[in-house]
């Protein structure tokens, strides 16, 4: 019996576009996962992939400008800086708008129950609604209501959902960890940010020469630090068979308009690790 390959796509905001490059490079080498699980941006890319929309998503991401990203954001003063309704509506129109049961292969994503902090596995109902919940980064995106629960970003509890892949029946799990090279590295300089960054990176940050980051940067980076620590702990207890770690320290968490760089690095990460991936696959062969 053929071993079932699971792919766990981790959280990481804009750096998650590298998942596209990872999927491309694996496919070119004959590796097609049987099960896909995602957290946050990993849920969005994973849903598009499972539904056969990866080509369309890649074309869209590669042409994104920060003005395009701005057009998808709806400012909110309740629950978070961004409602997320425009983004989800766009996702439903152009990518996945169907029930989990209609997908051609098993897919699930992770969210967090805001009231009790529990990990929530989303495997039923609307795929777009599940993705909306999984990407709801606290402070930036409004929480997503699911029945009587308020759900936020799954990265608060399980940033790289290896355990979910195994629960769905994966015999071998390839994980994509987007945060391993960020901690302890300096971000882009304030002058550089001022020259190229859109409004969501500048809110509350003063002038480009000021010493303080923006509100969005402070929130997203603080949460990212926490998610990296959680991911390390979770993967130590339940390690994947292979962990792919794209080198994305140069990309800010809100740099959604730099998709081509992220996609290229996702490809490069698979190329660097291919001998280990191949060895794991051979070891899992019946």
């Amino acid at each position: 019996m053929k071993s079932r390959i699971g792919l766990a796509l981790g959280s990481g905001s804009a750096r998650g576009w590298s998942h596209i490059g990872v999927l491309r490079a694996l496919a070119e080498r004959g590796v097609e996962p049987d099960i896909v699980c995602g957290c946050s941006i990993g849920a969005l890319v994973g849903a598009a992939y499972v539904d056969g929309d990866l080509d369309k998503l890649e074309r869209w991401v590669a042409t994104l400008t920060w003005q395009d990203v701005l057009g998808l954001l709806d400012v909110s003063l309740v629950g978070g800086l961004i409602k997320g309704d425009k983004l989800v509506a766009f996702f439903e129109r152009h990518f996945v708008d169907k029930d989990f049961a209609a997908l051609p292969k098993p897919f699930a994503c992770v969210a967090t129950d805001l009231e009790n902090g529990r990990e929530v596995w989303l495997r039923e109902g609307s795929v777009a609604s599940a993705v909306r919940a999984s990407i709801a980064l606290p402070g930036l995106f409004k929480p997503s209501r699911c029945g009587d629960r308020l759900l936020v970003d799954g990265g608060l509890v399980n940033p790289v959902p290896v355990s979910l892949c195994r629960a769905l029946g994966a015999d071998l799990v390839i994980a994509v960890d987007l945060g391993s090279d960020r901690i302890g590295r300096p971000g882009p300089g304030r002058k550089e940010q001022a020259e190229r960054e859109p409004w969501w990176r500048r809110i509350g940050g003063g002038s480009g020469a000021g010493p303080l980051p923006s509100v969005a940067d402070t929130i997203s980076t603080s949460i990212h630090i926490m998610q990296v620590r959680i991911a390390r702990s979770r993967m130590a207890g339940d390690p994947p068979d292979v962990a792919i770690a794209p080198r994305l320290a140069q990309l800010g968490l809100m740099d959604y308009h730099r998709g081509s760089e992220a996609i290229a690095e996702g490809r490069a990460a698979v190329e660097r690790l291919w001998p280990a991936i191949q060895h794991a696959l051979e070891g899992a062969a019946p």
Side-chain angles (χ1 to χ4, degrees), residues 35-106:
I35 296 164
V36 179
C37 296
C39 179
S40 195
I41 189 68
L44 189 152
V45 176
Y49 167 74
V50 168
D51 199 43
D53 282 334
L54 194 65
D55 288 347
K56 189 191 302 183
L57 180 63
E58 182 173 8
R59 288 194 298 270
W60 177 66
V61 168
T63 60
L64 271 180
T65 65
W66 69 259
Q67 292 95 334
D68 295 325
V69 179
L70 177 60
L72 291 172
L73 304 181
D74 37 9
V75 178
S76 170
L77 298 178
V78 179
L81 292 175
I82 301 162
K83 291 180 185 178
D85 295 342
K86 285 185 179 180
L87 178 62
V88 173
F90 181 89
F91 188 65
E92 289 175 334
R93 286 196 309 272
H94 297 278
F95 302 106
V96 180
D97 181 19
K98 60 178 59 175
D99 194 275
F100 276 88
L103 295 175
K105 65 175 66 177

Side-chain angles (χ1 to χ4, degrees), residues 34 64 67 74 107 120 133 157 167-168 170 218 222 228 230 272 285:
D34 303 290
L64 271 180
Q67 292 95 334
D74 37 9
F107 170 72
V120 178
V157 289
L168 292 187
T218 301
S222 297
V228 169
I230 293 169
R272 288 193 298 269

Side-chain angles (χ1 to χ4, degrees), residues 18 21-22 25-26 29 176-178 242-248 262-275 277:
S18 64
V22 169
L26 289 175
R29 290 163 175 78
V176 186
D177 178 9
L178 303 179
V242 181
I244 300 171
R247 297 170 183 169
L248 299 163
I263 292 170
E265 174 51 29
R267 283 182 173 274
V270 172
E271 291 171 4
R272 288 193 298 269
L273 206 63
W274 178 242
I277 297 171

Side-chain angles (χ1 to χ4, degrees), residues 67-179:
Q67 292 95 334
D68 295 325
V69 179
L70 177 60
L72 291 172
L73 304 181
D74 37 9
V75 178
S76 170
L77 298 178
V78 179
L81 292 175
I82 301 162
K83 291 180 185 178
D85 295 342
K86 285 185 179 180
L87 178 62
V88 173
F90 181 89
F91 188 65
E92 289 175 334
R93 286 196 309 272
H94 297 278
F95 302 106
V96 180
D97 181 19
K98 60 178 59 175
D99 194 275
F100 276 88
L103 295 175
K105 65 175 66 177
F107 170 72
C109 52
V110 181
T112 304
D113 190 316
L114 188 59
E115 182 177 353
N116 55 34
R118 290 176 182 166
E119 180 176 343
V120 178
W121 290 353
L122 300 171
R123 295 177 284 177
E124 299 177 342
S126 165
V127 174
S129 295
V131 169
R132 166 69 179 83
S134 189
I135 66 173
L137 195 68
L140 291 181
F141 285 88
K142 286 180 62 177
S144 180
R145 187 167 293 281
C146 182
D148 59 352
R149 297 182 299 190
L150 278 178
L151 303 181
V152 293
D153 196 306
L156 300 180
V157 289
N158 195 358
V160 188
V162 175
S163 57
L164 182 50
C165 276
R166 296 203 191 281
L168 292 187
D171 302 303
L172 179 149
V173 177
I174 300 171
V176 186
D177 178 9
L178 303 179

Side-chain angles (χ1 to χ4, degrees), residues 2-41:
K2 177 180 177 292
S3 296
R4 302 183 80 197
I5 300 171
L7 184 64
L9 302 177
S11 63
S13 299
R15 295 196 298 276
W17 296 146
S18 64
H19 290 317
I20 298 172
V22 169
L23 286 161
R24 290 296 193 202
L26 289 175
E28 289 165 1
R29 290 163 175 78
V31 180
E32 297 282 352
D34 303 290
I35 296 164
V36 179
C37 296
C39 179
S40 195
I41 189 68

